[in-house]
Amino acid sequence: TLTIGSNILVAHDTVTVSGINPSGYDGIFALTSRTASTVTYALPEDPGAYASGGTVTWPNVLLFNSAICYPSEL
């Protein structure tokens, strides 16, 4: 579980975690749960105790407009 502050993520969103020491916490993960200020994801193995650092990023997809991607033929 990472404390990341206020967020709009939901379970199953994909995030990229980087810059954590130890690096076993880093990678691209699907969230298993979240609260207003934390996110949780599963690790394949225990990387050991958290030491320092870390950034969590996720896609900022605002709008998908199929008419732009697939314009109708006239």
Side-chain angles (χ1 to χ4, degrees):
T1 299
L2 301 174
T3 301
I4 64 169
S6 178
N7 69 83
I8 58 169
L9 297 167
V10 296
H12 308 294
D13 276 352
T14 300
V15 297
T16 301
V17 180
S18 60
I20 294 182
N21 181 15
S23 63
Y25 288 101
D26 294 346
I28 299 172
F29 303 98
L31 300 178
T32 56
S33 64
R34 56 89 54 192
T35 69
S37 62
T38 66
V39 294
T40 301
Y41 59 97
L43 293 170
E45 60 186 49
D46 183 357
Y50 170 82
S52 65
T55 301
V56 176
T57 57
W58 56 90
N60 186 13
V61 178
L62 301 177
L63 172 67
F64 173 77
N65 184 336
S66 63
I68 293 171
C69 293
Y70 307 104
S72 61
E73 293 182 26
L74 298 176

